[in-house]
Amino acid sequence: MQQAQVESEKEKLTQLEEYAEQYRSEKNLIGLNAFLSTNYQHFVDRLGQAIVQQKQQIARVEQQSNFVRHQWIKARGKTESMDWLKKKHLTSEELVESKKEQAQSDEFAMQRFLILKNT
């Protein structure tokens, strides 16, 4: 989700840059009087400011995305650690249960042997 936002912001920047370039190119193609040329230049300057602001927005969104990704990796590591501990505990319990069952089986076999031997 964060990466999609980064890509969206980059797309906005690309559009702004293309728009600004288009206006710069058109200025050379059309003849403007001094007043219109000044207004035109102010507009192009505002586009330049918008581009700078968009680059700052991309930097903020990328920083936020990196933070979220780092938090996710950290949380995933904790989850994996807990899963490992849980598995280890279950394996330990299974081993204890297996030994208990083996002891019961051995005891039962010994009792049968003694019963059969005494008869």
Side-chain angles (χ1 to χ4, degrees), residues 85-101:
L85 285 172
K86 179 181 174 184
K87 184 177 178 181
K88 182 179 176 184
H89 179 71
L90 290 175
T91 301
S92 177
E93 284 183 351
E94 289 170 356
L95 183 61
V96 167
E97 186 64 31
S98 176
K99 286 182 179 181
K100 185 189 268 186
E101 288 175 4

Side-chain angles (χ1 to χ4, degrees), residues 106-118:
D106 291 347
E107 184 179 331
F108 179 72
M110 182 60 81
Q111 287 176 359
R112 280 186 55 117
F113 175 74
L114 291 175
I115 291 173
L116 290 174
K117 185 178 174 186
N118 290 335

Side-chain angles (χ1 to χ4, degrees), residues 1 14 21 23 35 39 42 50 53 55 60 62 69 82 96 99 114:
M1 182 171 130
T14 300
E21 184 57 36
Y23 269 85
F35 176 75
N39 284 343
H42 286 300
Q53 290 173 348
K55 287 179 179 179
R60 283 189 297 272
E62 285 179 330
R69 182 178 20 255
M82 293 302 290
V96 167
K99 286 182 179 181
L114 291 175

Side-chain angles (χ1 to χ4, degrees), residues 29-78:
L29 296 176
I30 57 176
L32 299 175
N33 64 33
F35 176 75
L36 290 177
S37 181
T38 302
N39 284 343
Y40 197 90
Q41 188 57 47
H42 286 300
F43 179 73
V44 171
D45 290 344
R46 285 193 302 266
L47 275 175
Q49 291 170 354
I51 289 169
V52 168
Q53 290 173 348
Q54 188 61 30
K55 287 179 179 179
Q56 292 169 346
Q57 175 65 14
I58 289 170
R60 283 189 297 272
V61 170
E62 285 179 330
Q63 183 179 17
Q64 182 181 9
S65 177
N66 289 337
F67 176 76
V68 169
R69 182 178 20 255
H70 176 74
Q71 291 301 103
W72 182 85
I73 289 169
K74 190 175 172 181
R76 181 67 186 144
K78 286 181 181 181

